[in-house]
């Protein structure tokens, strides 16, 4: 602490170097962090994947299943049944099939109280259990499928249900299972899975009174691992392994390696992020391809939204992945004979486990299906970027600690008579408190916005009410410091800048402990803007106008709208411009509502962190660059 509080500490050579070369150091650290991020895709800076858990015995089991014909029978029966119930799940048919296979069959009822209109929705999950014949039902493995009716906007999962039933029939006849196997078909995608997991563990993951998970009529052992199936056709060309879970959590790397190894053994094309591995002999092109794969994972993980039902298992200490198979697009394709053997191999390998996954990595990035970047490597770029903020904050603090010299008549500095800077602690504390209070108020505002929209806007829709409310709050935050005619001491604003810089840097490091991708993307855009920010003195220059524009674009509301609009353009670039803008606007409104509902139901903290941490930090920097300071 003496280094930060003692004015004499600034006389050291190292401190003088920091103060003299602050801008150059910050620039080099930031650029160095970006370059280090890019070279993570170079083979010299990542490693080949390998198995840490030898007890899995991957690939050593003798595969016995042939699920192709059985899957086809179940598939065509299911299609006929789905035509009778185009908007719902055929509960009776699924229960009957599980009973015919002599599984312990149960129906799980759950309900959702929609938080904005207090509407109640009900759903059901169907699951059957194959009891371990040689164990006491202390451990279990889950094989799940999200059921999608014919009228669903998403790709069909009927082939997955057929494979699940065929595999359940196969498992029922085997005597070597040491763990219970739970075959689960969920309704309403992740909603049904979250309700089932909450009921299985007797907890409530989201806010009380929204997702009512109810009670499970039947249990198995403690769940060790889960495999979620999303196969969209009876003949597929590739299998994509999805790992991203809630709030950026990932499964143990050994489970990902197991899936990729078993897929390769059956001569099925394996992909990650729907991208095949690059076989390009050109080193530069191969690096660029793998870097794009890595950044695709970063963008996906940063949202904190699970890419499949597997992503909800991780918070319970259960390792899970999703196997997604796409309909054949070229000449090569595989049947459910090979796919079934992949599932059999994985389940039998998991059956060999003597303890929970613990040896391999839980924090990693993947540039391809067979290479990984460990946390010890990928944290370094972020540390370099964030270090520039600490250096800037330290430099500003040292300048604030230095006494203000006074000159005599001959302009000679008299240090003995120097003035000591006095800070207005009350003003500084109120500035910081106001920013964070505003963020908390916006966090709690969706219910209020929706209520006002129903009363004043002729029953305005929820998404419109929330969007308009946030838009008005954004305009208020942008105009308030520009229209306010108050002046603040330069020293006070500079101290606020120190606090905001340290808070931003600390937040990025803390977020990176769970969701590195979100911290990296936020650091890449917010750190350079923070480094350029300083209190306004005198007239407004062109540089400061550019700084105003930059911070406006970085407002969480504006930035998210730009990102969603860009995502809409990438996926629907063939649309006319006006149609594209309207689609992006509609998608933005829906995304705001979904992020709030995800926070309430699943405990996704992306919205909470944005409102209570990132928005207040943005407000502090916006005030720093907008408020006029006095010497």
């Amino acid at each position: 602490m003496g280094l930060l509080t003692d004015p004499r500490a600034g006389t050291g050579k190292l401190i003088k170097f920091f103060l003299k070369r602050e801008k150059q150091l910050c620039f080099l650290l930031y650029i160095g962090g970006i370059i280090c991020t890019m070279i993570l895709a170079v083979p010299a800076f990542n490693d080949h994947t390998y198995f840490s858990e030898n007890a899995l015995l991957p690939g050593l089991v003798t595969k016995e299943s042939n699920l192709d014909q059985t899957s086809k029978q179940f598939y065509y029966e299911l299609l006929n049944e789905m035509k009778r119930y185009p908007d719902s799940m055929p509960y009776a048919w699924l229960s009957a099939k599980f009973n015919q296979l002599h599984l312990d069959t149960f129906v799980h009822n759950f309900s959702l109280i929609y938080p904005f209109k207090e509407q109640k929705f009900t759903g059901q999950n169907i699951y059957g259990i194959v009891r371990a014949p040689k164990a006491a039902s202390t451990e279990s493995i889950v094989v799940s499928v999200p059921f999608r009716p014919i009228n669903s906007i998403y790709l069909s999962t009927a082939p997955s249900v057929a494979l699940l039933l065929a595999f359940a029939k196969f498992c029922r006849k085997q005597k070597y299972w040491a763990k219970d196997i739970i075959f689960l078909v969920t309704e309403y995608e992740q909603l049904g899975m979250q309700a089932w997991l909450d009921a299985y563990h007797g907890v409530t993951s989201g806010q009380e009174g929204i997702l009512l998970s109810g009670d499970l009529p039947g249990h198995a052992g403690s769940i060790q691992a889960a495999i979620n199936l999303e196969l969209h056709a009876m003949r597929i060309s590739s299998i994509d392994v999805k790992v991203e879970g809630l709030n950026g959590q990932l499964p143990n790397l050994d489970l990902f390696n197991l899936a990729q190894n078993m897929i390769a053994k059956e001569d099925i094309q394996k992909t990650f992020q729907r991208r095949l591995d690059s076989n390009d002999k050109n080193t530069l092109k191969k690096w660029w391809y793998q870097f794009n794969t890595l950044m695709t994972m970063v963008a996906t993980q940063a949202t904190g939204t699970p890419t499949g039902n597997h992503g909800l298992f991780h918070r319970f200490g259960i390792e899970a992945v999703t196997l997604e198979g796409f309909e054949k697009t070229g000449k090569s394709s595989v049947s459910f004979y090979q796919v079934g053997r992949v599932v059999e191999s994985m389940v039998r390998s998991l059956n060999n486990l003597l303890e929970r996954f613990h040896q391999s990595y839980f924090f990693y990035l993947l540039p391809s299906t067979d290479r990984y970047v460990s946390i010890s490597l990928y944290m370094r770029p972020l540390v370099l970027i964030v270090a520039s903020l600490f250096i800037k904050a330290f430099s500003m603090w040292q300048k604030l600690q230095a006494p203000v010299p006074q000159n005599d008549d001959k302009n000679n500095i008299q240090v003995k008579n120097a003035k000591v800077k006095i800070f207005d602690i009350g003003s500084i504390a109120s500035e910081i408190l106001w920013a964070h209070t505003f963020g908390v108020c916006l966090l709690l505002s969706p219910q209020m916005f929706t209520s006002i929209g129903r009363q004043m806007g002729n029953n305005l829709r929820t998404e419109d009410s929330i969007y308009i409310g946030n838009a008005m709050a954004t305009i208020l935050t942008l105009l308030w410091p520009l229209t306010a005619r108050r002046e603040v001491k330069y020293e006070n604003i500079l101290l606020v800048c120190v606090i905001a810089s340290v808070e931003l840097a600390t937040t990025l490091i803390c977020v990176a402990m769970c969701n590195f991708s979100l911290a990296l993307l936020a650091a890449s855009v917010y750190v350079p803007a923070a480094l350029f920010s300083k209190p306004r003195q005198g007239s407004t220059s062109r540089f400061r106008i550019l700084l105003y524009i930059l911070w406006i674009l970085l407002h969480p509301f504006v930035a998210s709208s730009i990102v969603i609009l860009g995502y809409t353009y990438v996926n629907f670039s063939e649309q006319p411009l006006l149609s594209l803008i309207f689609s992006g606007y509609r998608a933005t409104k829906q995304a705001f509502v979904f992020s709030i509902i995800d926070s309430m139901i699943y405990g996704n903290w992306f919205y909470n962190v944005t409102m209570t941490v990132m928005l207040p930090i943005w407000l502090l920097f916006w005030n720093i660059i907008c408020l006029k300071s006095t010497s």
Side-chain angles (χ1 to χ4, degrees), residues 148-185:
R148 295 170 185 169
I150 291 179
N151 292 346
S152 173
I153 61 174
Y154 302 105
L155 295 175
S156 173
T157 56
S160 304
V161 178
L163 179 64
L164 179 140
L165 292 171
F167 185 57
K169 182 178 180 180
F170 166 79
C171 292
R172 184 66 181 81
K173 300 176 182 178
Q174 311 307 317
K175 303 298 182 183
Y176 46 68
W177 300 117
K179 296 177 174 63
D180 295 343
I181 305 177
I182 304 173
F183 296 93
L184 171 64
V185 181

Side-chain angles (χ1 to χ4, degrees), residues 3-47:
L3 185 65
L4 296 178
T5 58
D6 187 1
R8 293 172 297 176
T11 59
K13 293 183 179 180
L14 183 61
I15 306 304
K16 288 182 177 179
F17 176 77
F18 278 145
L19 296 178
K20 184 178 181 181
R21 301 295 182 185
E22 170 209 339
K23 294 182 180 179
Q24 294 90 332
L25 279 174
C26 292
F27 175 79
L28 289 176
L29 286 171
Y30 178 80
I31 296 300
I34 298 299
I35 294 175
C36 286
T37 302
M38 298 179 70
I39 65 176
L40 288 177
V42 177
F45 293 90
N46 53 60
D47 297 301

